[in-house]
Amino acid sequence: LTQMGRLKSVARATLEGVESFIDTAVSPRWNPLYQLGALGWFFFWIVVVSGIYLYIFFDTGVTQAYESVEQLTHAQWFAGGVMRSFHRYASDALLVVMMLHLLREFVLDRLHGVRWFGWFTGVPLIWLVFACGITGYWVVWDKLAQYVALGTTEWLDTLPLFGEPIARNFLHDTTLSGRFFTLLVFIHIAVPLVLLFLMWLHIQRLSRPRVNPPRGLAIGMLTTLLALSLAHPALSQGPADLSTVPGRLGLDWFYLGYLPLQDRFGGGPLWVGTLLGTLLLLAAPWLPPGRKPAVAEVDLGNCNGCGRCVADCPYSAVELGPRTDGAPFLQQAVVRADNCVGCGLCVGACPTATPFRRTTELVPGVDLPATPVSALREQLLEATARLAGESRMVLFRCEHGVANDSLSSGNVAVLTLPCVGMLPPAFIDLAITRRHADGVFLTGCRAGDCHERHGIAWTEQRIQGVRDPYLRARVPRNRIDWYWAGIDRHDALHRRIEAFAARLRELGPYRASGPSASATPAVERRG
């Protein structure tokens, strides 16, 4: 491993340890670290709604700006005051979840290859969110706003962009006019519109993007914001007075931490550090480690244009197009190589990816050339032929989970996939009903946070018979188990495998007339 790879491994182990703790406390479904993108949208809309309410009562005059905010805050504290606090704290929360989202995607290495688009379009969002927050402090025009205005304009004056220093506008109250606040409010409204467009663009290469957090999590966040707004309401810090220098101020370190840095190091070094950091973030998808994904390929001889691969692709990398080979079907699958990450979920969705085919070559309608279904069948047959004992099992794992060498044993055959969602349900059928193994176990990423977004969900739904292609009813579900362990639940995974092996010993060898496939599945969704 490279040094960066080692650091990422340590960071991922630490991250998953924290996530495991939160999973235990609130369940994976409500774990906010799995919902950072959706929470970003959630807090953005809170900021928008509260901002519209505040704008209704805001006056853009030099002295009226401060007075209107004070009137709103105190005269109608039960509405305007709460809305102001919501606006402030939701803005802070938006910045926090955005930065956590960026850090988490970097640690989990979700930025290389075709994922560059989401990362690259996400970096400008940082600048826009900061611009929204900073201008928001200006419009209040209290002592903190005075400090922000002077510090920010002095920082901007460091760049040779303006004919004369714009900080001169804040030397005395007579140099300001209501037109300045009108312009400032316009900027404060226009920037979020650009931000909304880029947020929309940011998710365009994702199918079924999560833009709404689970209802329970959303209610919890709203309750937290309300409690914070009532316990510690957002207040002004006295009217601005350009004839005096602000003394002790309460600083919002989320948005305004750059000002003490400028006071300490100067505007030039701060610009250098900021621009270099931005360029480094923009270039991160093309820096090592990285690998080129094995793009899925369509075989028209086995594709009837059913559209299952289109429905299951997490990245909108497969679409239906007009037939090109003269076959009696209206459409065919078409892979958009620029969007494909090589996860294989389209293969798991293809009804022709069945290992029971023997009279013809096993070539499904869509396949991964680096991990073809035909090779997976041969691996399955070879690995199960070496199994011994009373609880023989096949363990399918994704490459982002617990290491392979820690799972193999005399009665466990381990097969690794790019994503567990690549596994066609018919492989489970083959392993059990043809007695190659007594049971099948699945593991991979953490519950609620599949590396390929939908791999875990689609796999569970196919086995449970609610997503096509279904696992056939003849396969007894009590011979199937799964545990979504990630990399930090190593011990819990081994305990789960041992418990499954004990259950297989009790069931004995598979018989066609054995337990009904309608029996309650011996799986738990929590992982």
Side-chain angles (χ1 to χ4, degrees):
L1 290 176
T2 63
Q3 187 67 24
M4 180 59 71
R6 294 189 187 94
L7 290 174
K8 280 191 175 183
S9 297
V10 173
R12 181 183 174 187
T14 303
L15 173 65
E16 292 202 1
V18 174
E19 291 172 344
S20 291
F21 176 79
I22 300 176
D23 284 349
T24 303
V26 299
S27 85
R29 176 170 172 76
W30 288 5
N31 190 330
L33 294 181
Y34 300 153
Q35 305 287 341
L36 293 172
L39 285 174
W41 281 89
F42 179 71
F43 289 125
F44 173 81
W45 290 121
I46 292 178
V47 172
V48 169
V49 172
S50 58
I52 292 173
Y53 185 89
L54 298 176
Y55 179 71
I56 293 173
F57 300 94
F58 183 74
D59 194 325
T60 57
V62 175
T63 59
Q64 293 89 337
Y66 177 81
E67 293 172 356
S68 64
V69 173
E70 285 296 282
Q71 177 74 12
L72 180 71
T73 303
H74 299 288
Q76 52 163 301
W77 65 268
F78 52 89
V82 171
M83 280 295 189
R84 181 184 179 185
S85 297
F86 261 58
H87 195 69
R88 154 75 186 277
Y89 294 125
S91 298
D92 287 344
L94 171 60
L95 182 61
V96 170
V97 298
M98 180 182 67
M99 300 307 291
L100 286 176
H101 185 50
L102 181 145
L103 178 62
R104 192 170 184 274
E105 295 301 289
F106 176 78
V107 169
L108 297 178
D109 206 31
R110 297 174 180 172
L111 66 156
H112 290 99
V114 300
R115 297 188 185 212
W116 73 268
F117 183 82
W119 179 275
F120 194 83
T121 55
V123 174
L125 297 179
I126 302 174
W127 278 90
L128 291 174
V129 169
F130 268 101
C132 292
I134 293 170
T135 55
Y137 276 102
W138 281 34
V139 298
V140 178
W141 204 233
D142 60 355
K143 292 180 179 179
L144 177 61
Q146 177 184 342
Y147 173 62
V148 174
L150 287 170
T152 304
T153 53
E154 287 175 356
W155 190 37
L156 291 173
D157 285 337
T158 308
L159 299 175
L161 300 177
F162 307 99
E164 60 181 39
I166 57 176
R168 290 181 180 178
N169 295 309
F170 302 98
L171 294 178
H172 194 272
D173 289 324
T174 57
T175 60
L176 286 177
S177 68
R179 288 181 298 175
F180 167 77
F181 286 95
T182 301
L183 174 63
L184 200 58
V185 170
F186 172 78
I187 294 174
H188 192 57
I189 294 174
V191 173
L193 294 177
V194 179
L195 175 63
L196 178 61
F197 171 75
L198 279 182
M199 289 171 64
W200 170 82
L201 185 67
H202 179 64
I203 60 175
Q204 282 309 292
R205 290 198 175 187
L206 303 178
S207 65
R208 300 179 183 84
R210 287 187 290 187
V211 296
N212 295 308
R215 183 176 299 177
L217 180 59
I219 293 173
M221 291 297 175
L222 276 175
T223 303
T224 301
L225 287 177
L226 179 60
L228 188 59
S229 299
L230 295 175
H232 190 66
L235 301 173
S236 301
Q237 301 186 39
D241 183 0
L242 294 180
S243 63
T244 63
V245 177
R248 189 177 183 86
L249 295 171
L251 209 61
D252 181 353
W253 290 94
F254 292 108
Y255 284 96
L256 307 178
Y258 70 97
L259 293 172
L261 291 176
Q262 177 183 291
D263 294 340
R264 177 68 177 83
F265 300 105
L270 183 59
W271 272 118
V272 171
T274 302
L275 294 177
L276 285 179
T278 301
L279 292 175
L280 186 61
L281 286 176
L282 290 172
W286 295 277
L287 299 177
R291 64 176 184 176
K292 187 175 181 179
V295 177
E297 295 181 353
V298 175
D299 182 88
L300 292 181
N302 291 283
C303 175
N304 63 6
C306 68
R308 292 182 179 91
C309 54
V310 178
D312 282 12
C313 179
Y315 304 101
S316 301
V318 189
E319 58 187 8
L320 291 178
R323 204 74 194 184
T324 60
D325 62 346
F329 303 108
L330 294 177
Q331 296 177 306
Q332 68 183 47
V334 179
V335 175
R336 301 169 60 188
D338 290 343
N339 284 30
C340 182
V341 301
C343 64
L345 265 69
C346 56
V347 180
C350 185
T352 64
T354 170
F356 290 100
R357 288 171 57 181
R358 287 295 183 183
T359 56
T360 59
E361 185 180 2
L362 179 50
V363 179
V366 61
D367 205 357
L368 286 184
T371 317
V373 170
S374 58
L376 180 61
R377 180 174 64 183
E378 296 308 314
Q379 293 172 18
L380 173 63
L381 298 179
E382 293 176 5
T384 54
R386 297 190 295 268
L387 292 178
E390 299 177 313
S391 55
R392 301 169 304 139
M393 75 176 74
V394 180
L395 189 151
F396 292 99
R397 63 174 288 273
C398 90
E399 62 185 13
H400 305 288
V402 174
N404 183 21
D405 53 4
S406 67
L407 301 174
S408 299
S409 65
N411 68 320
V412 179
V414 180
L415 278 72
T416 301
L417 300 168
C419 174
V420 72
M422 180 187 172
L423 181 68
F427 274 77
I428 301 175
D429 189 350
L430 175 72
I432 295 175
T433 63
R434 295 296 174 87
R435 302 183 184 181
H436 296 293
D438 300 312
V440 171
F441 195 97
L442 307 171
T443 190
C445 302
R446 308 168 64 78
D449 189 49
C450 176
H451 187 81
E452 306 299 353
R453 302 183 62 236
H454 302 311
I456 291 175
W458 292 174
T459 298
E460 291 183 1
Q461 292 175 21
R462 291 165 186 166
I463 293 174
Q464 294 166 344
V466 296
R467 190 174 195 84
D468 200 10
Y470 312 117
L471 177 64
R472 287 197 279 188
R474 71 180 185 180
V475 182
R477 268 49 174 186
N478 54 4
R479 291 183 179 272
I480 306 170
D481 200 1
W482 60 62
Y483 186 76
W484 310 119
I487 63 171
D488 76 316
R489 297 174 180 171
H490 181 277
D491 294 339
L493 174 60
H494 277 270
R495 290 193 297 270
R496 186 62 172 263
I497 294 173
E498 291 171 1
F500 183 54
R503 184 163 70 245
L504 293 179
R505 285 192 292 270
E506 293 178 1
L507 292 173
Y510 167 79
R511 296 181 179 84
S513 59
S516 170
S518 63
T520 302
V523 294
E524 61 177 87
R525 295 187 59 80
R526 190 170 184 274

